[in-house]
Amino acid sequence: MGLVMEEVLIVDGYNVIGAAARRASEPLGAAALEEARQALVDALADYQAVTGRRVIVVFDAHRTAGPAVTTREHGVIVTYTAHGETADERIERLVGEWLSPQRRVYVATSDAVEQWVVFARGALRLPARELLHELAGVRRDVAARMETLSPPRTSLGDRMPEEIAERFEKWRRNGDSAS
């Protein structure tokens, strides 16, 4: 029996959101940015559930005052960096913390310099476009699974004995209350 390696995906959140926006050719406003963050976390939660990879998403908050904030949303670890700390710095530190002989770490970003830095530290690179492609595939897989799990929709008329259905139809057409 072979050794099963745990897999961890660390995502540069704003980099992936930017790649998605470039694909859609849509600029992101402040309200849209919050929606984009939530949509990414939701998609990553589905991805984590389907792939079994642990997912950590890092959002750059180095221009805001305050400490780093880490929460868990739908099983995804969501981190906002501390004042003065970039997402790249946090990702590099996370690679060091998570990488082990029993664990494979992937970093999703399209930042070429960051890809080389994390690769040099032992992580595997996953371009943002490739992650977006995988997320779309997971969304299709989940939708297909949900379709097969959903019982076929039936109406009361489908389950009703024919003679009763005919009586109801007759009442409907004639407006009679008895026949």
Side-chain angles (χ1 to χ4, degrees), residues 43 46-48 50-51 133-144:
D46 290 342
Y47 179 87
Q48 179 172 261
V50 169
T51 65
H133 180 74
E134 288 184 20
L135 291 175
V138 164
R139 188 177 315 123
R140 285 189 303 274
D141 289 349
V142 168

Side-chain angles (χ1 to χ4, degrees), residues 31-130:
L33 191 56
E34 176 59 34
E35 291 171 14
R37 276 194 303 262
Q38 192 58 55
L40 177 60
V41 170
D42 291 345
L44 289 171
D46 290 342
Y47 179 87
Q48 179 172 261
V50 169
T51 65
R53 284 183 179 168
R54 182 184 308 238
V55 177
I56 304 166
V57 61
V58 178
F59 292 107
D60 203 333
H62 76 279
R63 291 189 180 132
T64 61
V69 175
T70 300
T71 61
R72 192 176 286 268
E73 292 184 40
H74 313 298
V76 174
I77 299 169
V78 180
T79 297
Y80 292 89
T81 64
H83 176 71
E85 179 185 36
T86 66
D88 290 350
E89 292 168 337
R90 174 57 67 97
I91 289 168
E92 291 163 19
R93 195 166 77 245
L94 286 168
V95 166
E97 291 171 8
W98 284 92
L99 198 61
S100 76
Q102 299 80 27
R103 192 178 293 131
R104 189 173 296 134
V105 176
Y106 297 85
V107 175
T109 183
S110 289
D111 180 327
V113 173
E114 184 63 6
Q115 285 182 354
W116 282 108
V117 169
V118 298
F119 183 70
R121 293 184 179 203
L124 299 166
R125 301 169 291 184
L126 182 65
R129 285 179 49 178
E130 189 174 325

